[in-house]
């Protein structure tokens, strides 16, 4: 890579074998330039100009580092470097002397060589282009020393730019401050140097104070010695015969002049290519723009090891810079999530990452993450030798902000209120004052995006904008310091309220894009935090709390939302809001309490208040919402009969409603109520009605965000009913469908519901692998969103799984679980049906007084077993309970319960010698099954039936053998802890004196 330079002229100074040209700022050894760093070169010029006299250390520091405070040690380092380059000590050469306590003195003899007269015709420099030498290697040119830091994560970009420059004569690297434009430009110049025989000329325009001076800066960089007021003709004449790459770095503050220069260079010389860097495009004909992206980060919410994380440039850069300031730094797996979070908060900007990594030695990784709340004040430890605007993040942003017109500065300040993405309509609501032309906002957004201060996201026809985190923090400081901060934040809160205006009723129109909610929730949260702060508008906060329910429920941030609702409820008496707003507050609070705390007085009170206000206002949608809330409260509270009555009341006020979502909700409420009361056939009719209505694709959560998705709920409930009715294989397929559908909705509440029901069905069916997997996922999802109610179900299922696997700690966990206020009778009934030893006295009491509904038959069967084991001398109560259980199972159409009870009763009759009756009973239950022949229950029934068949063929021998075995087990004074029915009932029959005949 080479660059053309002019020869030394009359201002040159010679010493030893060197010639120094202070004007051109080049040092020659003979006719070859010497590679010299910019600081060492400035020290040499200062010393040579005052040769023979002592130059104080302070004078040197002020000359070389005019805007930076440096230590004396830094000066010594550069002096030592200069001495080494000059070859001091070789052949007794001596140039720079240290005067202790004073400074340095240049001691070599200096002369000023004369320049030849050239043409001898006396043309002035203004009229005659200067003479030039041939190409000079860039490696020998001090002014073009590349950065000492290694390029990280941009190799593909560099190669792509170099390739494009073969076809495009002008390329501009565009991006925000600190993203690494200059570094990429340097690397590209080095990578592509062989393609340019005449070399590369790197022109830093960042320090040019005025646009008119950039032509002179280019001339100086090219080494052209001219004092002409317009050096452009000389530049163009020089470039005519040279194929060269010119890099125009940091064009943003002189963008118009830089664009003019680029245009003239391209039209004036066919062999010149230009690579520019700027925070906005030059907007020149045939310009190709490359927007430099932030450094890549690992995907969010993905666990990554240290080795995997180091494949991502942002993490690699952080690790390298941290190791540079802390030699023993090593990236550990435990630190990866924190470092990824740090780099993500810094938007993947290389400068910000470098500044943050430089503080690891002081704060450590976790301390660094905590300090990043003040990104601008914290990221200040840049390299002393860096240009001023790159020494701190604030200085970088100051540079961009101060270049903006006043209107764009105002817009950027105001846009900082957005916590996430925003569209042009939202931006207009925030930026525009009264009388403002809304059409001008789009132009402002376009200009800010062009200047890399906001990013643009396009998805189909939807276009949204976003400030980088660092830019937002900077603009927010500017807004906070302005006199308009209250007004703008109030505008933002009102805008957030307007998003919820469409949800005045319970059944809002479907929202097509779920990601819209995740973007808006950050703004809603920020607005609520401001409203409820000391400086905020509390009345507006109450209104926004009521109107933002959809977002919180859609994303399952229910614990967080509940805190806002409770705060709004405290402020309601003093907030001048409408009764409709109060209605929505109570309804949303009831919903949030149901899904975070289950049933209770708070839930009942919230929905009763909702029902009272809705009835007074004549709002049927909220009457339905209140009835639904009271219904779910009764479901969670395990009052199935009351829940069924509420479902029917809901149906009665919805008969004239034509909204299909309401009909779906009505069917679902009736289906679940009837199922839990034990009317499985009627429940299945309502479920199948739902699924038929859902035959065509519909939007997820088409009724309201706080409910489950209808498709998910329908398949989950169908799975339960199918298992009860004796279709275990179909039940498992329906359970799997519900989980898959729930995953597709992205709705956490629906997902938790599906996983709970699916795991229960898998446990009943004996599919331990599926049950374990679904329970683990339920635990993960409920814990991630702090959904205590669903965590209680995960714990319930885990107890059942542990018990089934023989884990003795299951009973300890059961004891802990029953002390949890969220543990309802429904939890305990479910546990009992999954493990006979997990049944508790309260569930037996519910079965005895007809409150257990769906589980009554199974609970009575288990109770019969307990009685048989405890009172082995009296089998009549156990037989009565089993016969009662059988009658309930048959009445409910619960074939799976009927099979279990038939097995137990057949065992009892077997011990009594009633073999034919036992065989008939068992066959009656088994013959009704059309599938599920490999399930645990059916296998036990088949085994018992075969045993009964053998016993029927040789009754006396088998019965005698059974009695003998029982007597051996019993023994004099021994009690046998029997837990299996194949032991309990024969023993019970023997103790009762049943004859072997």
């Amino acid at each position: 890579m080479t660059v053309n330079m002019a020869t030394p002229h009359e201002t040159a100074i010679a010493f030893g074998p060197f010639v120094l040209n202070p004007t051109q700022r080049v040092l020659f050894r003979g006719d070859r330039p010497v590679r010299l760093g910019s600081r060492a070169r400035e020290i040499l010029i200062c010393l040579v100009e005052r040769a023979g006299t002592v130059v104080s250390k302070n004078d040197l520091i002020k000359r070389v580092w005019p805007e930076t405070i440096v230590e004396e040690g830094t000066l010594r380092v550069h002096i030592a470097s200069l001495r080494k380059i000059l070859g001091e000590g070789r052949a007794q050469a001596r140039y720079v002397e240290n005067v202790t306590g004073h400074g340095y003195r240049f001691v070599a003899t200096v002369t000023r060589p004369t320049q030849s007269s050239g043409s001898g015709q006396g043309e002035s420099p203004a009229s005659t282009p200067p003479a030039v030498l041939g190409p000079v290697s860039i490696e020998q040119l001090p002014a073009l020393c590349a950065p000492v830091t290694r390029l990280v994560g941009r190799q593909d970009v560099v190669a792509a730019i170099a390739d494009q420059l073969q076809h495009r004569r002008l390329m501009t690297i565009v991006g925000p401050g600190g993203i690494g434009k200059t570094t990429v430009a340097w690397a590209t110049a080095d990578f592509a140097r062989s393609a340019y025989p005449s070399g590369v000329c790197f022109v830093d325009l960042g320090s040019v104070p005025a646009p008119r001076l950039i032509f002179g800066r280019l001339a100086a960089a090219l080494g052209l010695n001219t004092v002409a007021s317009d050096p452009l003709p000389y530049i163009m004449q020089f470039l005519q015969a040279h194929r060269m790459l010119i890099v125009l770095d940091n064009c943003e503050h002189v963008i118009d002049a830089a664009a003019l220069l680029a245009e003239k260079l391209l039209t004036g010389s066919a062999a010149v290519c230009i690579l520019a860097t700027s925070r906005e495009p030059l907007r020149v004909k045939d310009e190709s723009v490359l927007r430099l992206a932030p450094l890549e980060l690992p995907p969010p919410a993905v666990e990554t090891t240290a080795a995997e994380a180091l494949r991502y440039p942002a993490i690699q850069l952080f690790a390298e810079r941290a190791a540079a300031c802390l030699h023993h730094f090593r990236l550990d797996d435990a630190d990866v999530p924190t470092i990824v979070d740090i780099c993500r908060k810094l938007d993947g900007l290389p400068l910000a990452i470098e500044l943050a990594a430089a503080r690891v030695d002081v704060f450590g990784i976790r301390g660094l993450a905590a300090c990043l709340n003040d990104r601008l004040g914290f990221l200040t430890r840049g390299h002393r030798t860096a240009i001023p605007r790159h020494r701190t993040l604030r200085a970088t942003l100051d540079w961009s902000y101060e270049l903006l017109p006043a209107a764009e500065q105002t817009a950027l300040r105001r846009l900082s209120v957005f916590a996430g993405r925003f569209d042009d309509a939202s931006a207009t609501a925030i930026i525009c004052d009264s009388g403002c032309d809304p059409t001008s906002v789009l132009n402002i957004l376009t200009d800010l995006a062009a200047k890399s201060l906001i990013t643009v996201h396009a998805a189909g026809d939807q276009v949204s904008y976003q400030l980088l985190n660092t830019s937002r923090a900077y603009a927010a400081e500017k807004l906070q310091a302005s006199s308009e901060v209250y007004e703008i934040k109030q505008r933002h809160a009102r805008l957030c309220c307007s998003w919820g205006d469409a949800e005045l009723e319970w059944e809002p129109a479907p929202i097509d894009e779920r990601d819209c909610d995740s973007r808006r929730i950050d703004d809603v949260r920020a607005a609520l935090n401001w409203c409820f702060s000391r400086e905020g508008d509390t009345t507006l906060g109450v209104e926004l709390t009521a109107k933002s329910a959809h977002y919180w429920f859609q994303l399952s941030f229910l614990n967080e939302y509940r805190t806002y609702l409770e705060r709004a409820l405290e402020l309601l008496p003093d907030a001048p809001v409408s009764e409709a707003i109060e209605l929505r507050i109570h309804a949303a609070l009831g919903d949030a309490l149901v899904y975070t705390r289950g049933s209770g007085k708070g839930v009942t009170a919230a929905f009763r208040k909702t029902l009272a206000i809705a009835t007074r206002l004549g709002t049927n949608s909220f009457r339905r919402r209140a009835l639904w809330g009271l219904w779910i409260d009764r479901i969670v509270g395990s009052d199935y009969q009351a829940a069924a009555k509420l479902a029917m009341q809901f149906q009665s006020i919805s008969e004239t409603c034509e909204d299909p979502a309401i009909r779906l909700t009505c069917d679902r409420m009736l289906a679940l109520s009837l199922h839990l009361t034990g009317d499985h056939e009627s429940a299945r009719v309502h479920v199948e009605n739902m699924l038929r209505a859902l035959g065509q694709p519909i939007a997820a959560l088409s009724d309201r965000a706080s409910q489950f998705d209808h498709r998910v709920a329908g398949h989950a409930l169908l799975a339960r009913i199918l298992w009860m009715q004796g279709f275990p294989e179909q039940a498992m397929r329906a359970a799997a469908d519900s989980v898959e559908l729930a995953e597709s909705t992205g709705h956490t509440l629906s997902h938790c519901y599906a996983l709970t029901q699916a795991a229960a069905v898998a446990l009943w069916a004996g599919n331990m692998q599926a049950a374990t997997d679904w329970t683990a996922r339920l635990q993960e999802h409920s814990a991630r969103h702090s959904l205590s109610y669903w965590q209680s179900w995960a714990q319930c299922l885990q107890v059942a799984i542990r018990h089934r696997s023989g884990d003795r700690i299951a009973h300890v966990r059961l004891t802990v679980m029953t002390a949890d206020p969220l543990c309802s009778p429904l939890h305990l009934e479910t546990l009992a049906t999954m493990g006979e030893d997990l049944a508790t006295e309260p569930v037996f009491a519910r079965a005895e007084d007809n409150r257990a509904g769906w589980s009554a038959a199974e609970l009575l069967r288990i109770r019969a077993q307990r009685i048989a084991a405890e009172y082995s001398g009296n089998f009549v109560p156990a037989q009565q309970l089993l016969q009662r259980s059988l009658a309930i199972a048959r009445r409910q159409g619960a074939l799976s319960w009927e099979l279990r009870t038939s097995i137990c009763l057949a065992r009892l009759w077997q011990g009594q010698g009633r073999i034919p009756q036992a065989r008939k009973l068992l066959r009656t239950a088994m013959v009704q099954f059309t599938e599920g022949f490999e399930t645990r229950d059916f296998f036990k029934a088949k085994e018992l039936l075969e045993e009964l068949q053998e016993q029927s063929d040789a009754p006396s021998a088998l019965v005698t053998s059974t009695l003998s075995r029982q007597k051996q087990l019993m023994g004099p004074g021994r009690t046998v802890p029997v837990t299996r029915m194949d032991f309990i009932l024969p023993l019970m029959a023997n103790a009762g004196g049943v004859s072997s005949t």
Side-chain angles (χ1 to χ4, degrees):
M1 193 180 298
T2 56
V3 63
N4 291 359
M5 298 293 297
T7 57
H9 64 309
E10 62 272 13
T11 62
I13 303 173
F15 55 92
F18 302 98
V19 176
L20 174 66
N21 190 319
T23 303
Q24 297 179 16
R25 316 187 80 73
V26 180
L27 177 69
F28 289 86
R29 184 183 181 95
D31 60 353
R32 297 178 65 82
V34 177
R35 184 170 185 171
L36 197 63
S38 60
R39 308 297 185 187
R41 183 175 64 249
E42 198 66 30
I43 292 171
L44 177 62
I45 292 172
C46 182
L47 291 173
V48 169
E49 288 176 344
R50 298 166 63 177
T53 61
V54 176
V55 182
S56 72
K57 296 173 183 178
N58 287 338
D59 287 345
L60 280 171
I61 289 173
K62 289 179 182 177
R63 170 79 175 264
V64 180
W65 293 277
E67 299 178 2
T68 308
I69 298 174
V70 300
E71 297 174 352
E72 197 174 298
T74 303
L75 177 61
R76 287 197 299 270
V77 169
H78 286 280
I79 290 287
S81 174
L82 175 61
R83 284 170 167 163
K84 184 176 180 180
I85 291 170
L86 295 176
E88 232 182 56
R90 290 182 299 208
Q92 297 183 343
R94 186 163 177 251
Y95 299 101
V96 180
E97 178 185 70
N98 179 19
V99 182
T100 304
H102 296 281
Y104 298 92
R105 178 168 49 207
F106 194 84
V107 295
T109 302
V110 300
T111 60
R112 296 184 182 272
T114 59
Q115 182 187 25
S116 62
S117 61
S119 65
Q121 297 185 16
E123 293 95 351
S124 69
S127 60
T128 305
V132 295
L133 293 178
V136 178
S137 171
I138 190 172
E139 286 83 355
Q140 298 170 320
L141 185 61
L144 297 181
C145 294
V148 296
T149 55
R150 188 175 73 87
L151 184 70
V152 176
R154 303 293 198 190
Q155 290 79 3
D156 292 344
V157 175
V158 166
I161 295 173
D163 180 67
Q164 282 292 310
L165 283 170
Q166 301 300 311
H167 313 286
R168 301 271 188 172
R169 292 182 60 208
L170 170 61
M171 283 200 69
T172 305
I173 303 173
V174 174
I179 205 166
K181 300 183 293 297
T182 298
T183 302
V184 170
W186 264 113
T188 303
D190 184 62
F191 182 84
R193 59 182 172 178
S194 60
Y196 302 96
S198 298
V200 174
C201 177
F202 200 96
V203 188
D204 182 9
L205 301 179
S207 58
V208 174
R212 60 184 175 80
L213 300 178
I214 71 168
F215 298 97
R217 177 58 59 90
L218 174 59
L222 288 169
L224 300 179
N225 179 31
T226 176
V227 295
S229 59
D230 181 11
L232 189 60
Y234 302 95
I235 294 173
M236 300 310 304
Q237 183 174 343
F238 171 76
L239 293 176
Q240 286 295 324
H242 297 87
R243 176 167 173 73
M244 175 179 287
L245 174 64
I246 297 177
V247 181
L248 301 177
D249 191 35
N250 299 306
C251 298
E252 54 271 358
H253 69 301
V254 288
I255 192 72
D256 293 333
L260 176 64
L261 173 60
E263 194 171 65
K264 287 186 176 296
L265 291 176
L266 294 176
T267 56
S269 174
V272 169
C273 290
I274 300 173
L275 178 61
T277 73
S278 177
R279 300 185 189 184
E280 62 178 305
L282 299 182
R283 297 179 186 171
V284 174
K285 183 181 179 182
D286 297 329
E287 176 188 25
S288 180
V289 176
L290 183 140
R291 288 198 173 271
L292 200 57
L295 294 179
E296 188 180 1
L297 284 158
V302 175
E303 292 187 6
T304 309
T305 64
E308 293 168 343
L310 285 172
R311 298 174 187 169
Y312 295 89
I315 309 304
Q316 188 179 357
L317 178 64
F318 184 96
E320 286 191 7
R321 299 303 184 261
C325 74
L326 194 65
H327 72 280
H328 60 271
F329 174 83
R330 295 291 182 274
L331 181 61
D332 297 325
D333 290 349
D335 291 331
V336 168
T338 305
I339 292 176
V340 169
D341 185 55
I342 288 171
C343 293
R344 182 163 283 114
K345 286 180 178 178
L346 298 175
D347 305 304
L349 292 180
L351 174 63
I353 291 172
E354 289 192 9
L355 293 172
R359 311 304 294 271
V360 168
D361 58 338
V362 178
F363 296 96
I365 296 298
R366 280 155 187 77
L368 182 65
C371 291
L372 277 183
N373 291 329
D374 179 19
R375 297 180 182 89
L376 305 179
F378 178 68
L379 301 180
T380 59
R381 193 175 174 181
H383 295 294
R384 290 189 177 95
T385 55
I387 55 178
R389 65 177 179 276
H390 283 173
R391 289 175 195 152
T392 72
L393 190 58
R394 188 186 302 280
T396 298
L397 294 166
D398 279 338
W399 171 266
S400 297
Y401 186 78
E402 289 164 5
L403 294 176
L404 297 177
E408 291 178 18
Q409 288 183 347
T410 300
L412 188 66
R413 281 198 313 270
R414 294 178 177 182
L415 291 173
S416 70
V417 295
F418 287 110
R421 297 184 188 181
F422 52 89
D423 55 23
D424 55 347
S426 298
T428 300
I430 298 300
I431 294 174
C432 275
D433 297 318
S434 58
C436 169
D437 180 10
T439 59
S440 65
V441 173
L442 191 56
N443 293 331
I444 290 175
L445 294 175
T446 302
D447 289 341
L448 289 175
K451 294 169 184 176
S452 305
L453 288 168
I454 62 175
T455 56
V456 182
H457 304 272
D461 296 333
Q462 302 295 320
V463 177
S464 60
Y465 307 88
Q466 186 174 16
L467 275 72
L468 296 176
N469 291 326
T470 47
S471 300
R472 183 186 302 111
Y474 177 85
E477 281 191 3
K478 294 292 184 183
L479 178 63
Q480 195 66 36
S482 72
S483 59
E484 60 181 5
V485 57
Y486 181 88
E487 179 187 354
I488 299 305
K489 291 196 173 184
Q490 190 180 56
R491 282 187 200 178
H492 179 242
R494 285 176 179 157
L495 173 66
C496 294
C497 275
S498 72
W499 296 337
D501 282 340
E503 199 193 352
L504 293 174
E505 298 295 331
W506 185 30
E507 303 89 19
I511 293 182
D512 295 329
E513 294 186 66
R514 290 199 310 273
D515 62 341
C516 171
D517 304 324
S518 61
R519 293 198 301 268
R520 285 183 168 178
I521 192 66
D522 292 330
D523 282 297
V524 170
R525 181 186 290 111
L528 282 173
N529 288 338
W530 175 79
C531 287
F532 291 143
S533 70
R534 186 179 303 173
E535 301 82 17
D537 185 337
T538 55
T539 300
L540 191 54
V542 172
E543 182 180 353
L544 178 55
T545 302
K547 291 183 176 181
S548 61
H550 172 81
Y551 302 104
W552 301 103
F553 283 108
Q554 170 73 20
L555 297 167
S556 303
F557 294 158
L558 302 188
N559 277 299
E560 183 181 1
Y561 185 39
R562 194 186 69 241
T563 62
Y564 290 121
L565 286 164
E566 289 168 347
R567 175 64 174 147
L569 202 60
E570 291 174 5
L571 297 169
L572 263 178
D574 300 320
V577 295
S578 66
E579 203 168 18
I581 294 296
E582 182 182 357
L583 173 66
R584 294 172 73 174
I585 292 288
H586 286 291
L589 179 60
D591 291 337
L593 288 171
V594 161
Y595 289 112
T596 56
R597 296 181 177 174
S599 63
K601 294 180 180 179
V603 175
T604 306
F607 283 123
R608 283 180 176 170
K609 186 71 173 178
T610 303
L611 184 60
I613 299 175
T615 303
R616 185 162 59 250
L617 295 178
T619 308
N620 271 345
S621 63
F622 273 90
R623 287 179 65 196
R624 283 190 289 267
R625 181 168 183 174
L627 289 170
W628 178 88
L630 292 169
W631 170 79
I632 198 69
D633 178 48
R634 291 301 82 216
I635 292 289
V636 173
S638 309
D639 189 349
Y640 310 136
Q641 296 296 335
K645 291 178 182 178
L646 287 164
M648 292 173 187
Q649 192 176 350
F650 184 98
Q651 182 185 38
S652 68
I653 67 169
S654 303
E655 290 176 347
T656 59
C657 181
E658 297 181 358
D659 188 338
I662 297 303
R663 292 198 295 272
L664 289 170
T665 301
C666 187
D667 273 325
R668 181 150 65 86
M669 291 171 68
L670 287 167
L672 183 56
S673 301
L674 292 169
H675 163 65
L676 291 176
T677 56
D679 189 352
H680 305 306
E681 186 58 37
S682 297
R684 184 171 174 179
V685 170
H686 285 286
V687 170
E688 289 174 345
N689 285 343
M690 284 178 59
L691 296 179
R692 276 194 299 271
L694 294 169
Q696 298 299 320
I698 65 167
L701 302 165
S702 58
D703 53 347
R704 57 190 292 271
S706 58
Q707 287 199 50
F708 310 125
D709 180 271
H710 284 309
R711 297 168 299 178
V712 173
H715 283 86
L717 184 52
L718 180 62
R720 288 178 60 100
I721 295 170
L722 286 170
W723 190 88
M724 295 289 172
Q725 292 183 323
F727 302 101
E729 294 173 11
Q730 294 181 53
M732 283 298 296
R733 287 196 294 271
D737 287 343
S738 71
V739 172
E740 184 178 352
L741 284 167
E743 289 176 345
S744 70
T745 66
H747 186 229
T748 301
L749 291 178
S750 296
H751 207 172
C752 288
Y753 182 79
L755 289 168
T756 299
Q757 307 306 333
V761 170
L763 277 163
W764 289 329
N767 190 331
M768 296 303 296
Q769 182 176 352
T772 302
D773 175 54
W774 285 333
T775 300
R777 287 157 66 182
L778 173 62
Q779 176 63 37
E780 177 191 350
H781 284 284
S782 60
R784 183 187 306 165
H785 294 275
S786 300
L787 299 174
S788 303
Y789 177 71
W790 296 108
Q791 283 180 281
S792 72
W793 273 110
Q795 292 163 9
C796 173
L797 294 165
Q798 285 170 347
V799 168
I801 291 169
R802 284 178 177 272
H803 173 265
R804 189 70 64 84
S805 65
D807 190 342
R808 295 181 179 179
I809 203 172
H811 284 83
V812 177
R813 291 184 175 271
L814 173 61
T815 303
V816 174
M817 196 188 83
T818 53
D820 186 347
L822 291 177
C823 180
S824 68
L826 182 56
H827 286 78
L828 298 178
E829 290 168 4
T830 302
L831 266 180
T833 63
M834 294 171 177
E836 296 162 356
D837 291 349
L838 300 176
T840 58
E841 288 301 321
V843 298
F844 292 146
R846 285 175 58 83
E848 289 287 353
D849 58 15
N850 298 317
R851 287 180 293 145
W854 69 282
S855 60
E858 177 69 350
L859 295 174
L860 291 173
R861 180 189 73 83
I862 298 169
R863 181 62 172 156
Q865 288 190 160
R866 295 274 181 92
I867 291 174
E870 187 174 355
Y871 304 104
S872 56
N874 184 4
F875 64 88
V876 174
Q879 180 170 302
Q880 290 175 342
L881 283 174
L882 289 172
Q883 289 173 332
R884 184 178 165 192
S885 168
L886 189 64
I888 293 173
R890 287 173 173 172
R891 184 174 69 249
Q892 293 182 355
L895 185 55
S896 291
W897 296 153
E898 181 182 345
L899 180 64
R900 289 187 179 182
T901 301
S902 297
I903 292 171
C904 292
L905 192 53
R907 284 286 188 191
L908 174 62
W909 289 348
Q910 178 190 29
Q912 295 173 338
R914 300 168 62 182
I915 306 301
Q917 294 94 325
R919 289 172 57 197
K920 181 178 180 181
L921 173 67
L922 203 53
R923 283 175 175 170
T924 300
M926 293 174 68
V927 77
Q928 299 178 69
F929 281 84
T930 58
E931 62 178 61
F933 305 125
E934 301 301 323
T935 61
R936 182 169 175 261
D937 289 339
F938 200 87
F939 183 80
K940 288 173 66 176
K942 182 180 177 183
E943 189 179 50
L944 176 57
L945 187 61
E946 291 172 354
E947 184 180 331
L948 290 170
Q949 183 63 46
E950 292 175 3
Q951 195 169 359
S952 176
D953 295 338
S956 298
L958 285 172
V959 171
T960 302
S961 173
T962 300
L963 290 172
S964 175
R965 179 164 56 90
Q966 292 168 358
K967 289 176 180 178
Q968 290 175 2
L969 288 172
M970 292 291 290
R974 292 182 60 190
T975 58
V976 182
V978 183
T979 58
R980 291 182 52 190
M981 288 301 295
D982 54 352
F983 284 98
I984 291 174
L985 294 177
L987 285 174
M988 177 186 69
N990 180 57
V994 179
S995 169
S996 63
T997 59

